[in-house]
Amino acid sequence: MLHVPSDDDGPDARLTRRVATRLYAEPRLLGETITVNVQNRVVDLAGTVGSMYARITAADLARSTPGVVDVCNRLELARVADVSLLPDEFDAIVARWDEQPDPPGGTEAPGNAAEATGNAAGATGNAAEATGKAAGAESADPAQTFRVGAAITACIAVVLWVVALPELGAAALLIVVPFVATALALRYLARRLSSRSD
């Protein structure tokens, strides 16, 4: 449902109708409750939508309408789950997961959590060995592997902070702090390994 206030026939009213027409014609926004107001060519979107995808789509359509200077997106997500209208490629892979043939030798589910942790640690070791071989080294330096891991994790933390801060505010710390802690732990392990090998 789209709410468009009826004003005089000034430039803002015409722009309001243009934006509202574009939003109403968009099939991805069917059933969403959006109110469109324009003042001084700035579009104000208000209401409730069912997904983050719908919120972004509405703002993109309004922003790309000729004559719009800026968009104030005050659309709120409904309390229902945020489910995108477009299927995720990862969901398709997971849906076919059981159809994939087992690798030679088969795979068995670990019997307990300790065994699962051991298998995960073994997989990490194999990845480090593969990294060392790809670089042309006989064996990978564990301290260097931890330093590289710390640097990558720190970069991920910075990117997450830049992306999440505008949307989540201070709550973005809940996402970033574990990555920072992991980077610090990896750096600490690298230093300990370096001091032992010296």
Side-chain angles (χ1 to χ4, degrees), residues 30-85:
L30 289 177
E32 305 292 357
T33 305
I34 301 173
T35 301
V36 179
N37 287 308
V38 176
Q39 185 173 7
N40 297 326
R41 299 183 347 176
V42 175
V43 176
D44 178 40
L45 300 175
T48 305
V49 293
S51 70
M52 182 62 78
Y53 182 73
R55 185 177 190 273
I56 293 169
T57 300
D60 287 345
L61 284 171
R63 191 171 287 112
S64 65
T65 302
V68 172
V69 173
D70 199 6
V71 175
C72 178
N73 190 350
R74 297 185 304 123
L75 292 172
E76 295 180 4
L77 294 177
R79 294 245 178 228
V80 297
D82 182 13
V83 180
S84 177
L85 296 176

Side-chain angles (χ1 to χ4, degrees), residues 10-151:
D12 284 345
R14 286 190 297 272
L15 190 53
T16 300
R17 282 192 290 280
R18 268 196 306 242
V19 171
T21 302
R22 291 191 73 193
L23 295 179
Y24 186 73
E26 178 58 48
R28 296 173 288 184
L29 298 177
L30 289 177
E32 305 292 357
T33 305
I34 301 173
T35 301
V36 179
N37 287 308
V38 176
Q39 185 173 7
N40 297 326
R41 299 183 347 176
V42 175
V43 176
D44 178 40
L45 300 175
T48 305
V49 293
S51 70
M52 182 62 78
Y53 182 73
R55 185 177 190 273
I56 293 169
T57 300
D60 287 345
L61 284 171
R63 191 171 287 112
S64 65
T65 302
V68 172
V69 173
D70 199 6
V71 175
C72 178
N73 190 350
R74 297 185 304 123
L75 292 172
E76 295 180 4
L77 294 177
R79 294 245 178 228
V80 297
D82 182 13
V83 180
S84 177
L85 296 176
L86 292 178
D88 190 335
E89 290 178 23
F90 184 73
D91 292 339
I93 293 169
V94 171
R96 292 189 310 261
W97 191 268
D98 290 334
E99 298 170 9
Q100 301 294 329
D102 287 339
T107 57
E108 292 183 24
N112 57 35
E115 194 175 329
T117 305
N119 289 342
T124 305
N126 292 340
E129 289 172 19
T131 304
K133 290 177 184 172
E138 286 297 317
S139 65
D141 176 24
Q144 180 63 23
T145 302
F146 282 123
R147 279 192 291 277
V148 170

Side-chain angles (χ1 to χ4, degrees), residues 155-181:
C155 290
I156 291 171
V158 169
V159 169
L160 284 173
W161 178 252
V162 169
V163 170
L165 183 64
E167 195 65 34
L168 302 176
L173 285 173
L174 296 172
I175 296 171
V176 173
V177 166
F179 284 93
V180 172

